[in-house]
């Protein structure tokens, strides 16, 4: 979600607190898939989406509470079953898992947001592995992997850090995600970041103006030669 991390980088430059909530895993029919992200600012405004509806509203409220209480990261699960459908109108029928990460004060993860924004802008590819659920590792621990294989940070287990790297390298070129479950039931979410696909338009006339608008909406980087 390029717009989410571009805004996160902007907010980080002014040390404004914010929360990024993201879909970690889904089962069945759901309105969004893993990697979908929502940034919530202190004033309640948002960038991105988790699929809309009352689940997104509930995550928004949890994010606002995290900002108010200056709390740490959390993990939530929602069953979009018939009970919720009867109460709240959700009819997808699947299950969604969310990771909610507040960025408060001088959190070093502000620099990670800047690095991700730069990756989307065409600088070096990278992946970020995050502990999102565990009984033995600290929730929110991160390992950053560059396209050269250089790593920084830790998940709290050096053997796990080494095990994660090949998967992280395989994801970054296409900007994919992977949910990784260890033998000790630690849940790690790995995200690859790269620049969006580019489209080069030859000619700057009225037809390519519309093509450029459509390509931009679809997330392409647009270049025009005329």
């Amino acid at each position: 979600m390029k717009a989410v991390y571009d805004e996160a980088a902007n907010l980080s430059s002014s040390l404004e607190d914010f929360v990024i909530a993201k879909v970690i895993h889904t089962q069945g029919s759901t309105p969004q898939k893993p990697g979908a992200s929502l940034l919530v600012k202190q004033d309640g405004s948002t960038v991105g989406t988790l699929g809309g509806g009352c689940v997104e509203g509930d995550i928004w409220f949890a994010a606002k509470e995290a900002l108010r209480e200056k709390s740490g990261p959390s993990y939530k699960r929602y069953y979009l079953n018939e009970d919720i459908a009867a109460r709240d109108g959700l009819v997808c029928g699947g299950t969604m898992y969310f990771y909610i990460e507040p960025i408060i004060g001088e959190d070093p993860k502000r620099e990670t947001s800047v690095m991700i924004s730069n990756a989307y802008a065409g600088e070096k590819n990278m992946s970020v592995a995050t502990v999102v659920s565990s009984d033995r590792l600290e929730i929110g621990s991160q390992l950053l992997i560059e396209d050269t294989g250089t790593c920084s940070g830790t998940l709290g287990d050096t053997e796990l850090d080494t095990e994660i790297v090949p998967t992280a390298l395989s994801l970054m070129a296409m900007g994919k995600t992977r949910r990784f479950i260890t033998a000790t039931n630690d849940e790690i979410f790995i995200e690859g970041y790269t620049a969006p696909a580019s489209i080069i338009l030859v000619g700057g006339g009225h037809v390519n103006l519309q093509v450029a608008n459509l390509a931009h909406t679809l997330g392409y980087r647009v270049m025009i030669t005329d």
Side-chain angles (χ1 to χ4, degrees), residues 133-210:
S133 179
S134 176
D135 292 328
R136 68 183 187 95
L137 303 174
E138 183 179 354
I139 306 302
S141 298
Q142 287 187 335
L143 179 70
L144 279 61
I145 306 96
E146 299 180 11
D147 54 6
T148 59
T150 302
C151 299
S152 59
T154 180
L155 299 173
D157 181 323
T158 54
E159 291 185 3
L160 179 58
D161 290 346
T162 301
E163 184 181 2
I164 286 289
V165 170
T167 300
L169 289 171
S170 71
L171 296 175
M172 62 179 67
M174 298 298 292
K176 295 183 177 180
T177 68
R178 182 78 54 83
R179 176 176 176 252
F180 189 94
I181 306 295
T182 70
T184 51
N185 209 35
D186 311 303
E187 186 171 351
I188 315 298
F189 189 60
I190 314 171
E191 300 170 276
Y193 299 99
T194 188
S198 300
I199 182 169
I200 300 174
L201 301 177
V202 180
H206 64 282
V207 173
N208 270 349
L209 173 61
Q210 301 307 317

Side-chain angles (χ1 to χ4, degrees), residues 204-223:
H206 64 282
V207 173
N208 270 349
L209 173 61
Q210 301 307 317
V211 174
N213 289 336
L214 177 59
H216 179 75
T217 300
L218 294 173
Y220 286 92
R221 291 195 300 168
V222 180
M223 305 176 194

Side-chain angles (χ1 to χ4, degrees), residues 75-125:
Y75 186 76
K76 288 182 173 289
R77 177 176 59 191
Y78 290 87
Y79 295 104
L80 311 184
N81 56 22
E82 34 305 312
D83 291 338
I84 291 181
R87 185 177 72 250
D88 298 322
L90 292 175
V91 294
C92 291
T95 305
M96 300 184 77
Y97 300 77
F98 298 92
Y99 173 66
I100 302 171
E101 182 171 69
I103 306 297
I104 308 292
E106 297 185 1
D107 193 320
K109 289 180 181 177
R110 292 185 183 277
E111 180 59 29
T112 303
S113 296
V114 174
M115 293 172 64
I116 293 172
S117 178
N118 290 340
Y120 275 125
E123 294 190 16
K124 57 187 176 184
N125 296 342

